[in-house]
Amino acid sequence: MEHVQEHEECLLQTQMYWVERPVYNEEFLQGQLHKKEKTPPSLSQKIAHSCRCSSKKAKSHLYSFLPILKWLPRYPVKAYLLGDIVSGISTGVMQLPQGLAYALLAAVPPVFGLYSSFYPVFLYTFFGTSRHISIGTFAVISLMIGGVAVREAPDEMFNIMESNSTNSTDLLENYKARDAMRVKVAVAVTLLSGIIQLSLGLLRFGFVAIYLTEPLVRGFTTAAAVHVFTSQLKYLLGIKTKRYSGALSVLYSLIAVLSNITKTNIATLVVGLTCIVLLLSGKEINDRFKKKLPVPIPMEIIVVIIATGVSAGMNLSNTYEVDIVGEIPKGLLAPKVPDINLIPAVFVDALAIAIVGFSMAVSMAKIFALKHGYTIDGNQELIALGICNSAGSFFQTFSITCSMSRSLVQESTGGKTQIAGTLSSIMVLLVIVAIGYLFEPLPQTVLAAIVMVNLKGMFKQFGDITHFWRTSKIELAIWIVAFVASVFLGLDYGLLTAVAFAVITVIYRTQSPQYRILGQIPNTDIYCDVEEYEEVKEYPGIKIFQANASLYFANSELYASALKKKTGVDPCAVLAAKKKAQKRHAKELKQTNEHRKKAVLKLVSARTNDMETSVKHEIINDELPLNGKSADANAQGTSPDELEHFMEPMTNVHCIILDLTPVNFVDSVGAKMLKSVIKEYEEVGVFVCIASCSGPVMDDLTRLNFFEKSTTRDLLFHSVHDAVLSCQLKVGSVPQTASDLFVSTSESHMEN
């Protein structure tokens, strides 16, 4: 019994709280709170502060620009060195064959792939912030470079026709001239992409990568895998065909390969298929027994060594006309200034390569940083990639980025810091300086097999279609557009199309938000969608409207239309119905008066006295309407109760609360729309108020002069519940409603 009494006292106290609780509208808060005085610094003060230098600030900038100065002095040799050595050797073993193979994608001689696997990797050790990613050649970037090189230096420019004969000395000279020109193009693109990345990093524009969303990147890389696979078919089959670039290059390449399929070199095909089987078997073994193996089996370098030995021993090049890597110059090339005259022709391509390369690197770096508990600096990553590309271009390298497969190997084999990448680059350097010539007999079909097998992970991304179908149709649309556009329009224009479509989807989402009518969860001040939860109840006569988007020019009209539809109150329709009823009422009054006039005239005409007739006419004319004006006056002066008889049944909504919790900003069009909505509903007797405005939204409304004339801060409330209480006060229903909040709870406890 005591428990019941205590519970009733608690309910009574809570009930009194809801009844006596003050309503926190904006005017009340303005009177209770005082803003802190903030004096924004002037432009001269900002410039002076940015130019001010101290030893601490200089040291911070130096450590930021050269991260190696921060982590190398603290390097724990005993704990990290062994893992970095094993990881560096394992990654270097992968970097050698991939560097040679991806040079084919870049349409340059294989040795330039080795250069690109040394200089940038070594430089990243000093400037990069990620400890686990493997910088170097990557299939997608190499293919984009190759597309530009083939476009700017096509075979026709050097009188090279599609032929399976290479015995002509003149033809060999033409090939050398073509390759030299393509190297110039690749180096120019690399220089420009590096400058773009470096500039974006210095200007703190690392956020540009956010426009390359995950569905876009995955669709783009899947399309790139299709391009790469198609471009390697001719090397796998031993067919000499023209290399295409630009729109529909995939279709042209397939048609060229299929039209020359009868010229397939059987020896080349056998060697290539054998290597594919060995590589796939090695990958399967590494995946299945990765927990038992101390390091992954370096199947790629094993296949390269075996294929090189077989090719040299059997003289496959002369005996079976198998295309081989050919001459690999010994040693490093002297620095050379890139041809800047090519820069205007490759600017758009360089911009796309710079953004894609950075996006690949920073996304992989973030994954490893999150896994191992450290942070990376996106802007510094841009600077690091920019230095690697721009400085490397003087040593004849082509654009690089992070390789996903090598990064996974570097991390899984125990790599702890950038020392692992340095060791892998030193291994590539030893090959270039000492034993590079040993790989000259390596068949090109082996490199094609390595490239194709490394596309396995990208082709698995076709499974994203079913995933996005279940989770998000819009992200599925982004994936499909990125894939289709990149396959058929080329990687450069495909990327631009995909980014544009992704931006359009953002606009579409803000133009088509979800509109809800909210209701209260009983005994709480929490409000949820009435169509989603059965327990949620609406207050009689009060509609709480919410849209999960900001209010700006693109969706203002849609917001107003949804408000009228969801609340069931259309002020324009109500006013139109009122005017229609007034006209109908006036018409009926006019008809009634006409009937009375006719009846009186008949009565008067029956009398014979002219004197009495004239008198009657004068009296009647004074009382009867002239051209219906009296009828209209009667209609205008009709009481509301009498007028309701002639109007359509109207809604009993008397208050509408606009919940602006999800709104991030309001522009001038949105503010005008809100003013118009408040005025229109006021004309039909419906009070409109606004609840849960964030600080930035309040600043927007104040700056747009929203609070003028009839629109005051009394319409703003701190929360939806405060607005509900205020609306109830207007109709005098608070005591009843407050007690209703708790009657069900008290009854259920009494029953127990």
Side-chain angles (χ1 to χ4, degrees):
M1 193 68 182
E2 292 180 358
H3 174 72
V4 175
Q5 290 179 350
E6 290 178 358
H7 178 70
E8 289 179 348
E9 291 177 0
C10 180
L11 285 177
L12 183 60
Q13 292 176 359
T14 309
Q15 177 178 345
M16 293 304 298
Y17 166 77
W18 290 111
V19 174
E20 299 175 0
R21 175 180 179 269
V23 178
Y24 296 113
N25 63 357
E26 184 64 20
E27 187 178 14
F28 174 82
L29 293 176
Q30 288 289 333
Q32 297 293 322
L33 301 177
H34 303 282
K35 284 191 174 183
K36 293 181 178 180
E37 293 184 2
K38 295 180 181 179
T39 304
S42 62
L43 181 60
S44 59
Q45 290 176 334
K46 291 181 179 179
I47 295 175
H49 178 73
S50 61
C51 296
R52 188 179 297 121
C53 185
S54 63
S55 59
K56 184 177 180 181
K57 190 174 182 180
K59 186 177 180 181
S60 175
H61 282 300
L62 182 62
Y63 282 173
S64 177
F65 186 71
L66 284 171
I68 191 173
L69 298 178
K70 190 173 183 179
W71 61 263
L72 187 60
R74 306 174 185 175
Y75 183 78
V77 177
K78 293 183 179 179
Y80 284 3
L81 185 59
L82 181 60
D84 282 340
I85 291 175
V86 174
S87 177
I89 294 174
S90 302
T91 308
V93 165
M94 285 186 67
Q95 196 127 21
L96 283 169
Q98 288 188 6
L100 295 170
Y102 292 151
L104 294 180
L105 291 177
V108 296
V111 68
F112 292 93
L114 296 180
Y115 299 152
S116 302
S117 299
F118 167 63
Y119 290 106
V121 180
F122 185 75
L123 288 172
Y124 185 82
T125 304
F126 297 89
F127 299 98
T129 60
S130 176
R131 306 172 189 172
H132 295 89
I133 63 173
S134 175
I135 293 295
T137 55
F138 182 54
V140 176
I141 300 298
S142 300
L143 183 67
M144 296 177 74
I145 289 285
V148 183
V150 171
R151 186 190 70 209
E152 297 298 324
D155 291 341
E156 293 82 2
M157 184 183 293
F158 303 92
N159 297 322
I160 298 175
M161 307 302 293
E162 296 179 10
S163 173
N164 282 340
S165 175
T166 59
N167 295 326
S168 173
T169 304
D170 293 338
L171 189 59
L172 290 176
E173 292 296 327
N174 291 340
Y175 274 121
K176 290 182 179 180
R178 181 201 65 181
D179 291 344
M181 184 61 186
R182 288 181 175 178
V183 169
K184 287 185 178 181
V185 174
V187 169
V189 174
T190 302
L191 173 64
L192 186 55
S193 65
I195 292 174
I196 292 172
Q197 289 173 333
L198 183 59
S199 302
L200 292 176
L202 293 174
L203 295 174
R204 322 308 285 176
F205 268 64
F207 65 88
V208 295
I210 64 176
Y211 292 101
L212 300 181
T213 64
E214 183 183 2
L216 187 152
V217 171
R218 293 178 73 86
F220 175 78
T221 52
T222 307
V226 174
H227 278 275
V228 172
F229 185 85
T230 305
S231 68
Q232 297 304 294
L233 285 175
K234 67 176 185 178
Y235 298 109
L236 180 67
L237 300 174
I239 299 173
K240 285 184 171 56
T241 63
K242 175 184 175 182
R243 179 166 175 172
Y244 298 91
S245 64
L248 303 178
S249 59
V250 170
L251 296 180
Y252 294 145
S253 298
L254 283 174
I255 292 172
V257 169
L258 294 176
S259 61
N260 291 279
I261 195 73
T262 55
K263 301 177 182 179
T264 300
N265 188 314
I266 302 301
T268 301
L269 180 61
V270 170
V271 172
L273 292 177
T274 303
C275 292
I276 289 176
V277 172
L278 291 175
L279 291 169
L280 288 175
S281 302
K283 282 185 175 293
E284 186 66 25
I285 293 172
N286 287 333
D287 291 340
R288 185 167 296 184
F289 301 102
K290 60 182 178 181
K291 293 183 179 180
K292 297 181 180 179
L293 294 172
V295 293
I297 299 174
M299 189 57 69
E300 289 181 350
I301 193 65
I302 292 174
V303 167
V304 166
I305 293 173
I306 294 175
T308 302
V310 171
S311 175
M314 299 180 64
N315 196 13
L316 295 180
S317 176
N318 295 327
T319 306
Y320 299 100
E321 297 183 353
V322 175
D323 292 331
I324 59 175
V325 169
E327 181 183 1
I328 297 180
K330 191 175 182 180
L332 298 172
L333 296 178
K336 184 179 180 182
V337 179
D339 188 355
I340 59 175
N341 294 323
L342 294 169
I343 288 179
V346 299
F347 178 79
V348 176
D349 306 280
L351 180 62
I353 290 170
I355 295 175
V356 172
F358 168 65
S359 177
M360 296 285 184
V362 78
S363 59
M364 203 71 184
K366 285 181 178 179
I367 292 173
F368 288 124
L370 183 64
K371 181 177 179 180
H372 294 277
Y374 63 93
T375 58
I376 64 161
D377 185 351
N379 293 309
Q380 181 60 29
E381 286 297 303
L382 263 176
I383 293 173
L385 290 174
I387 292 174
C388 291
N389 282 321
S390 57
S393 65
F394 289 88
F395 298 92
Q396 311 294 293
T397 67
F398 56 84
S399 290
I400 52 85
T401 186
C402 162
S403 169
M404 289 183 274
S405 59
R406 292 197 307 271
S407 297
L408 291 172
V409 169
Q410 181 170 317
E411 188 261 348
S412 63
T413 52
K416 301 294 184 181
T417 64
Q418 293 90 322
I419 294 293
T422 305
L423 294 176
S424 67
S425 68
I426 291 174
M427 286 190 63
V428 176
L429 176 63
L430 293 177
V431 172
I432 295 172
V433 174
I435 60 175
Y437 68 94
L438 295 177
F439 294 101
E440 291 180 355
L442 177 65
Q444 291 185 2
T445 185
V446 177
L447 301 179
I450 292 173
V451 172
M452 288 180 169
V453 172
N454 281 318
L455 298 176
K456 179 182 176 182
M458 293 188 187
F459 281 124
K460 285 183 177 180
Q461 293 177 159
F462 278 110
D464 293 343
I465 296 176
T466 56
H467 169 71
F468 288 127
W469 176 264
R470 292 192 301 267
T471 57
S472 173
K473 300 298 190 298
I474 292 180
E475 290 188 330
L476 174 63
I478 293 174
W479 193 100
I480 292 176
V481 169
F483 175 78
V484 173
S486 300
V487 167
F488 292 104
L489 299 180
L491 295 180
D492 46 2
Y493 290 106
L495 178 64
L496 294 176
T497 303
V499 171
F501 182 78
V503 173
I504 291 173
T505 61
V506 176
I507 298 173
Y508 169 76
R509 290 187 181 189
T510 58
Q511 278 191 311
S512 303
Q514 293 181 349
Y515 300 105
R516 306 182 185 92
I517 293 294
L518 305 183
Q520 186 195 39
I521 298 177
N523 308 327
T524 69
D525 58 352
I526 301 173
Y527 294 82
C528 300
D529 189 354
V530 296
E531 296 180 358
E532 192 168 345
Y533 301 102
E534 295 180 357
E535 294 80 5
V536 174
K537 304 297 180 184
E538 289 188 72
Y539 283 106
I542 300 176
K543 292 288 184 179
I544 307 170
F545 180 75
Q546 183 191 76
N548 62 338
S550 297
L551 298 179
Y552 68 115
F553 66 93
N555 64 359
S556 293
E557 292 186 7
L558 297 174
Y559 183 93
S561 300
L563 174 62
K564 296 172 183 177
K565 184 177 179 180
K566 284 287 187 179
T567 59
V569 182
D570 187 346
C572 297
V574 172
L575 291 174
K578 186 176 181 180
K579 290 180 180 179
K580 186 177 180 181
Q582 288 175 345
K583 289 181 179 180
R584 187 165 63 248
H585 185 43
K587 186 178 180 181
E588 292 182 2
L589 287 176
K590 186 176 181 180
Q591 291 176 351
T592 303
N593 289 334
E594 289 179 353
H595 288 307
R596 289 178 181 175
K597 182 178 179 181
K598 290 179 180 179
V600 172
L601 288 174
K602 289 180 180 179
L603 179 63
V604 171
S605 62
R607 298 182 180 274
T608 57
N609 194 325
D610 293 338
M611 187 70 178
E612 291 180 359
T613 301
S614 61
V615 172
K616 290 289 183 181
H617 271 290
E618 290 177 2
I619 296 173
I620 292 170
N621 287 335
D622 290 336
E623 294 178 353
L624 291 178
L626 180 62
N627 295 329
K629 290 182 179 179
S630 297
D632 291 342
N634 290 337
Q636 294 293 337
T638 306
S639 65
D641 295 337
E642 183 180 352
L643 190 60
E644 287 180 0
H645 172 72
F646 299 93
M647 294 180 63
E648 299 292 335
M650 291 177 57
T651 179
N652 59 351
V653 175
H654 54 77
C655 292
I656 294 177
I657 301 171
L658 304 181
D659 180 14
L660 300 190
T661 304
V663 176
N664 294 321
F665 68 91
V666 177
D667 70 353
S668 60
V669 179
K672 290 179 181 178
M673 180 273 299
L674 287 177
K675 275 190 173 183
S676 176
V677 164
I678 293 172
K679 184 178 179 181
E680 287 179 359
Y681 279 97
E682 185 180 3
E683 291 178 357
V684 295
V686 177
F687 174 71
V688 177
C689 60
I690 300 173
S692 300
C693 277
S694 63
V697 173
M698 281 294 302
D699 294 338
D700 290 340
L701 294 176
T702 304
R703 188 177 63 256
L704 295 169
N705 299 322
F706 180 77
F707 305 106
E708 286 185 348
K709 298 179 182 179
S710 59
T711 306
T712 63
R713 293 182 182 269
D714 293 341
L715 301 177
L716 297 179
F717 293 90
H718 181 67
S719 66
V720 173
H721 195 67
D722 288 315
V724 170
L725 293 178
S726 177
C727 292
Q728 290 176 330
L729 282 171
K730 288 183 178 295
V731 294
S733 60
V734 172
Q736 297 173 356
T737 308
S739 60
D740 290 342
L741 289 175
F742 302 98
V743 66
S744 59
T745 308
S746 59
E747 286 177 356
S748 62
H749 280 279
M750 289 296 292
E751 290 175 0
N752 294 333

